């Protein structure tokens, strides 16, 4: 009922782990599959290992989560070892993820990460938390998106998905630029820029002061991004942002998503959330007489 074909690859269900959550080791990625995800995305990796920002880097609230992890990761060489470990443990689809400061470095990393047994490659050009180091996210600029997409496409041996920012007011135009530069898919969206303040301490909560907001509060924003992108491009979309329930996941698919990314919901509902979401989807589909997801994909556009 939930089987999904994404860029010629079969997924047992459309729910995939979003990048940056539980996604650093082969064992933790496999644990997510065991808990019901149809596929996994690894934490974004850079050329060299990165420590990220000083603590506190994360805070959870009733309706949202905020982080400024600062893309801490073990570097490409270590990441490749973990990706290989994952494929020894599981046959489930694996999405690699890279980020870099220049188109040339993105191209280099794309070639390198394809030494690992990944099925797809996501390009993170939309992290809102590293502007001081890298400048504004590339995902705000059509020429930058074009350059990076072309550089990665030239070197990648697997299909690529460009991950966009909900902060870009023209996300549909940005998506179109990625498509015409060779992207095979779009991941929408990354976190949205925000901040929280500890009133008693009279200080921002995060050491980095600002961070990326995810979780339920992001959901309607992400849904509208997917809706707009679906109208602009023909390539498939990984709808990500605030999905916490089966009902949210079905709404993403009705807006036009093929796969649905889930990250912060792990904070709200535990790692079992993948199983809960797929069960909730199945229940609603049975109640509504929906036999498969192709029947409803993009249906709100009719
Ligand atoms: C702690 C944390 C770390 C993240 N790290 C990454 C990352 O390394 N690369 C990336 O593309 N997105 C990263 N993201 C963004 C998520 O993949 C996702 O796009 C975003 O959180 C919205 O989905 P959600 O509301 O389901 O979490 C991170 C999010 C969180 C909460």
């Amino acid at each position: 009922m939930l089987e999904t074909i994404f860029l010629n690859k079969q997924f047992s269900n459309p729910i995939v782990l979003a990048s940056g959550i539980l996604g650093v080791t082969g064992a933790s990625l496999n644990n997510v599959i065991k808990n019901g995800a149809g596929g996994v995305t690894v934490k974004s990796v850079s050329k060299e290992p990165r420590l990220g920002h000083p603590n506190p880097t994360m805070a959870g609230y009733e309706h949202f989560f905020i982080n400024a992890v600062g893309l801490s990761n073990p570097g490409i060489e270590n990441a490749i070892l973990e990706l290989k470990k994952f494929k020894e443990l599981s046959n489930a689809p694996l999405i690699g993820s890279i980020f870099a400061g220049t188109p040339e470095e993105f191209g280099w990393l794309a070639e390198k990460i394809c030494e690992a047994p990944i099925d797809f490659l996501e390009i993170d050009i939309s992290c809102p938390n590293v502007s001081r180091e890298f400048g504004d996210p590339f995902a705000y600029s059509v020429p930058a998106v074009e350059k990076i997409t072309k550089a990665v496409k030239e070197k990648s041996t697997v299909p690529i998905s460009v991950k966009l920012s909900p902060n870009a007011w023209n996300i549909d135009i940005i998506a179109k630029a990625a498509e015409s530069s060779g992207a095979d898919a779009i991941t929408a969206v990354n976190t949205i820029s925000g901040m929280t303040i500890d009133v008693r301490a009279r200080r921002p909560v995060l050491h980095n002061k600002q961070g990326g907001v995810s979780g339920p509060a992001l959901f309607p924003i992400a849904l509208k991004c997917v809706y707009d992108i679906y109208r602009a491009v023909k390539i498939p979309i990984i709808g990500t942002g605030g999905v916490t329930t089966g009902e949210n996941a079905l709404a993403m698919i009705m807006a036009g998503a093929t796969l649905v990314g889930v990250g912060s919901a792990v904070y709200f509902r535990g790692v079992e959330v993948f199983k809960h979401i797929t069960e909730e989807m199945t229940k609603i589909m049975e109640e509504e007489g929906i036999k498969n997801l192709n029947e409803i994909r993009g249906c709100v556009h009719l």
Side-chain angles (χ1 to χ4, degrees):
M1 199 179 209
L2 297 181
E3 294 82 17
T4 300
I5 299 195
F6 173 75
L7 296 171
N8 296 323
K9 181 107 189 150
Q10 176 95 28
F11 285 65
S12 60
N13 71 69
I15 308 301
V16 297
L17 175 72
S19 178
I21 294 99
L22 303 175
V24 179
T25 68
S28 66
L29 289 166
N30 186 45
N31 187 37
V32 171
I33 295 294
K34 281 204 223 145
N35 277 284
V40 285
T41 314
V42 73
K43 167 90 188 156
S44 302
V45 291
S46 49
K47 201 168 175 180
E48 305 296 339
R50 282 172 59 88
L51 278 176
H53 295 312
N55 284 323
T57 58
M58 293 185 217
Y61 298 85
E62 191 183 350
H63 300 298
F64 66 93
F65 191 84
I66 186 163
N67 91 87
V69 173
L71 293 168
S72 59
N73 78 92
I76 184 76
E77 297 290 352
N78 288 312
I80 289 174
L81 297 178
E82 293 299 331
L83 294 170
K84 286 182 178 162
K85 266 187 216 160
F86 171 75
K87 276 288 172 175
E88 284 164 17
L89 298 168
S90 170
N91 206 11
L94 174 60
I95 307 171
S97 174
I98 52 171
F99 85 93
T102 63
E104 294 70 31
E105 201 176 309
F106 264 108
W108 184 91
L109 272 167
E111 188 169 10
K112 187 78 188 160
I113 201 170
C114 286
E115 289 174 15
I118 54 172
D119 299 294
F120 307 96
L121 177 57
E122 201 166 84
I123 318 171
D124 178 9
I125 54 168
S126 43
C127 178
N129 305 323
V130 287
S131 303
R132 253 176 285 147
E133 268 173 278
F134 298 105
D136 280 341
F138 297 122
Y140 301 167
S141 148
V142 166
V145 168
E146 286 172 345
K147 267 194 215 135
I148 292 166
T149 307
K150 282 180 190 157
V152 171
K153 186 67 186 169
E154 203 183 303
K155 300 287 182 182
S156 176
T157 55
V158 297
I160 64 169
S161 185
V162 179
K163 186 162 180 182
L164 300 186
S165 168
N167 277 108
W169 60 271
N170 54 350
I171 195 167
D172 50 344
I173 292 166
I174 301 273
K176 188 112 196 89
E179 179 185 48
S180 51
S181 306
D184 301 285
I186 299 291
T187 305
V189 287
N190 211 313
T191 53
I192 194 161
S193 189
M195 77 182 296
T196 47
I197 289 172
D198 181 334
V199 168
R200 306 264 177 203
R202 305 181 187 197
R203 311 282 316 153
V205 172
L206 300 179
H207 182 275
N208 190 53
K209 299 187 177 71
Q210 61 159 34
V213 176
S214 57
L218 179 60
F219 177 68
I221 298 161
L223 193 63
K224 167 74 161 55
C225 289
V226 170
Y227 179 88
D228 288 347
I229 293 168
Y230 186 79
R231 296 172 91 85
V233 302
K234 296 203 163 50
I235 51 180
I237 304 165
I238 308 178
T240 308
V243 174
T244 313
T245 64
E247 190 166 342
N248 293 159
L250 288 172
M252 271 292 186
I253 292 167
M254 288 184 179
T258 298
L259 296 179
V260 177
V262 169
S264 303
V266 172
Y267 166 79
F268 292 98
R269 299 183 74 188
V271 70
E272 310 79 23
V273 67
F274 298 96
K275 205 166 187 316
H276 294 326
I277 289 179
T278 52
E279 284 169 0
E280 290 159 6
M281 290 174 81
T282 306
K283 184 165 180 287
I284 296 173
M285 288 168 73
E286 279 168 2
E287 285 167 5
E288 295 296 322
I290 302 163
K291 293 193 180 55
N292 66 65
L293 295 172
N294 291 335
E295 255 179 59
I296 54 162
R297 183 163 303 106
C299 68
V300 296
H301 294 270
L302 295 175

